[in-house]
Amino acid sequence: MTDSPNYGFDTLQIHAGAKPDPATGARQTPIYQTTAYVFRDADHAAALFNLQEVGFIYSRLTNPTVAVLQERIATLEGGVGAVCCSSGHAAQIMALFPLMGPGKNIIASTRLYGGTVTQFSQTIKRFGWSCKFVDFDDVDAVKAAVDDDTRAIFGEAIANPGGYIMDVRAIADVADAAGVPLIIDNTTATPYLCRPIELGATLVVHSTTKYLTGNGTVTGGCIVDSGKFDWSANDKFPSLSQPEPAYHGLNFHETFGGLAFTFHGIAIGLRDLGMTMNPQAAHYTLMGTETLSLRMERHVENAQKIATWLENDDRVDYVTYAGLESSPYFERAKSVCPKGAGGLFTFAVKGGYDACVKLVNALEIFSHVANLGDTRSLIIHSASTTHRQLSPEQQEAAGAGANVVRVSIGTEDAADLIADLDQALAKATA
Ligand SMILES: *Cc1c(COP(=O)(O)O)cnc(C)c1O
């Protein structure tokens, strides 16, 4: 397909980045199951290693199947380039890597995927990095948290476990004023529901494991660059704006302009951290992206029906879904994610911990798993699983109290899902 920003999302999700295979004419993108690529001659090899010519060297860095996925996700997000990697958590480290150094910090929302909280509060300390967690609804507190060592602000558009919608534009303004990039984890919203770059984000990260692949087959991640950030505006980002010793003194911003972050991610991030996406995973995720809008529409439609049904049921205390008028984020959702508030939400069951455990055990269609964004409906009782190690107060603060379950609504028949919840709630609260 020739580049045409005028094509609609439904067309781009199938065609962006892909063209018939030049060697065979294969219509579907082949899985280039190879580690290395033959150089035309010694000059060609030297030009590739000098980044004077773009091409394939070794699959830790680049692979043609992965490259198609990178271009596709970049296009769907409205970015200039993207780097795929082995998981969503790898994408977060890869996004921070060129920005950070010992003693530097990031500011992150208090409402994040649990694994991200652990990565940011514990693991990044090993690199000498740190994270300040702030309530992103308090924009002044975010501003106040910025200091001379802050190098990025990080949040989720639709926050896992759901129900919270971030005011992306307001936080982007804080990041702009501070001269640091805003990184948005767009995993639970997907580019179909939310376009963080249009709302002012610099970088978008994904766990492609979830909705982009869509059926729970492979783990993967992606970092999309808006190409809009001026890395040379201040001296905070020497890896991008000054000679980079890890690539014999190359100045990435001067050499690659808007693609500086993407080239750095491949030439140094993947080269040295090695968190590479394999071509099989890229294949499954390419299959997933082809139906992204169709699935997201159904996820949202089903979530809306089921959340409404639950909210009106006597056995349920409350439902937190930004698609419901009762949600404090109902109005904000209309501007941040105009096509719907996603497929994730939590609800509280009368009867507390025991009732939740019985509910999870009694469900037949819903699977009890620690995952989301599958075509299948999924449920988890956080207090007895992912948030087990936390105190009751901490569980409450994380929206994972003993009486709360999180659901990831699939694309099955909504009536079947409601019937399943109905019979399981009857057993749970008998
Ligand atoms: C799953 C998830 C991640 C981590 O992704 P992995 O692919 O499991 O490493 C990060 N952020 C969000 C919002 C997620 O749902």
Side-chain angles (χ1 to χ4, degrees), residues 86-92 112-116 119 154 156 158-160 185-189 205-210 218-221 344 370-372 406:
S86 53
S87 71
H89 271 1
Q92 292 167 193
L112 294 177
Y113 176 72
T116 305
Q119 189 185 51
F154 186 102
E156 293 177 14
I158 298 180
N160 183 342
D185 180 341
N186 204 27
T187 299
T188 56
V205 293
H206 275 283
S207 167
T208 61
T209 313
K210 314 291 171 50
V218 288
T219 58
L344 287 180
N371 191 20
L372 60 93
R406 184 196 75 194

